Amino acid sequence: MTEVEERTPLEAVQKAREIWLNATKQSDLDEVERLYRWALSSKKNIETDGNDGSERPKKKAKQGHCGLDRSDYINASEKFALLLCQSGRCKKAKKGLASIGFTCRLAKRVLDYPDESKESDDSSPNADHKQQKVPPCTIVDNFLSQAELERLQSVFQSTTANYWTSHDYAVEPPSPYFSYVLSLEQIETNGFGFIGELIQKVLHCPQLAEKFPKLPNTRYVEMWAHNRPHASGHQLHFDSDDEGRG
């Protein structure tokens, strides 16, 4: 009997997620896939005793979905499909997603985006088209001074830092989303210390002003932070009062 066969399907799914969240190499992801495949194809049922205290023989609990209850089965199927999509196998994920009610998903270029460093061949027919695309965001190298970077690290880097523990932040299952919204009027009046200084630095950055001409019209600033591994996503959403409810 192999190690995976000694687990219940639920234990295999939980172990797969644990490895995925801490994966550092391809072999880790290979093991995640192996565990998901086994759990989702397993016919193993959980044996339970009678709940009336009698000496009845053990009976098998009907799980209905490969040894997993429906909720765990759907959750594992979603994760397995995501793994397939992120590794260039979107077509193989299609049948599994359809079986649990999905009718659409994010595009391949979102779930399995290319390595831009490997797309530098300007001789390709689409090279001119690629150069015309302007990304909706920008990166400013060395925006923070070394002192500013170290100060932010002292606040956010440790998973036991006050910012995370005070908000009951958790990776799995993910904690509810939270952020802070500050008006520029408040910042100009009260300063808001170090955070206020960083906001003013953003507002007066020449590179950002060139990229975003309407930056001087800004009235509010939203601030948030995450401390999650790559495999832990975030709900796709439009900002609204109902955010996070569905």
Side-chain angles (χ1 to χ4, degrees):
M1 181 178 290
T2 65
E3 180 182 351
V4 70
E5 290 172 339
E6 294 176 352
R7 307 178 192 273
T8 66
L10 180 58
E11 288 172 341
V13 166
Q14 292 170 337
K15 184 63 177 178
R17 187 61 177 156
E18 177 186 341
I19 296 173
W20 197 354
L21 290 173
N22 296 284
T24 58
K25 51 188 182 297
Q26 182 59 44
S27 59
D28 292 333
L29 296 179
D30 292 340
E31 178 65 6
V32 170
E33 181 173 341
R34 186 176 75 92
L35 288 167
Y36 274 129
R37 283 189 181 278
W38 179 84
L40 290 170
S41 62
S42 172
K43 301 301 181 184
K44 191 172 186 178
N45 286 319
I46 301 173
E47 293 186 341
T48 59
D49 292 312
N51 58 9
D52 58 358
S54 65
E55 296 294 329
R56 294 179 184 177
K58 291 183 178 180
K59 61 181 180 181
K60 290 185 177 179
K62 293 181 179 180
Q63 297 295 302
H65 293 88
C66 307
L68 297 167
D69 64 30
R70 179 163 180 76
S71 175
D72 291 327
Y73 176 81
I74 291 176
N75 183 268
S77 296
E78 290 177 354
K79 294 291 192 298
F80 181 53
L82 177 60
L83 184 65
L84 291 176
C85 289
Q86 289 180 331
S87 56
R89 295 173 286 173
C90 288
K91 289 184 178 180
K92 291 189 175 181
K94 185 175 181 179
K95 183 178 179 180
L97 287 172
S99 72
I100 55 175
F102 277 73
T103 58
C104 59
R105 60 166 174 78
L106 292 175
K108 181 179 184 297
R109 286 186 65 86
V110 176
L111 297 175
D112 186 27
Y113 46 85
D115 184 346
E116 296 295 336
S117 65
K118 297 178 181 178
E119 291 197 336
S120 57
D121 184 7
D122 294 337
S123 63
S124 65
N126 296 322
D128 291 339
H129 178 65
K130 288 181 181 178
Q131 292 174 357
Q132 292 174 1
K133 292 182 178 180
V134 179
C137 56
T138 190
I139 297 174
V140 180
D141 289 327
N142 302 313
F143 177 77
L144 297 174
S145 68
Q146 186 62 34
E148 290 168 338
L149 178 61
E150 290 175 356
R151 187 163 181 180
L152 287 174
Q153 288 175 330
S154 70
V155 174
F156 296 111
Q157 189 169 21
S158 173
T159 56
T160 59
N162 182 263
Y163 180 85
W164 309 115
T165 57
S166 293
H167 292 90
D168 295 323
Y169 190 85
V171 173
E172 192 75 11
S175 50
Y177 178 80
F178 60 90
S179 67
Y180 293 89
V181 176
L182 305 174
S183 72
L184 289 185
E185 183 178 353
Q186 288 178 304
I187 294 171
E188 291 170 357
T189 301
N190 301 317
F192 276 88
F194 178 59
I195 293 299
E197 293 172 8
L198 290 183
I199 291 172
Q200 292 293 349
K201 190 172 183 177
V202 169
L203 294 173
H204 294 91
C205 175
Q207 295 99 314
L208 295 178
E210 181 180 358
K211 175 69 176 179
F212 306 106
K214 294 185 178 181
L215 186 61
N217 300 331
T218 303
R219 296 173 57 198
Y220 295 91
V221 175
E222 184 180 15
M223 182 186 73
W224 73 93
H226 279 298
N227 195 340
R228 295 176 178 172
H230 184 68
S232 179
H234 182 62
Q235 180 189 29
L236 185 65
H237 65 279
F238 293 101
D239 284 345
S240 72
D241 291 338
D242 292 325
E243 183 180 329
R245 296 183 184 178

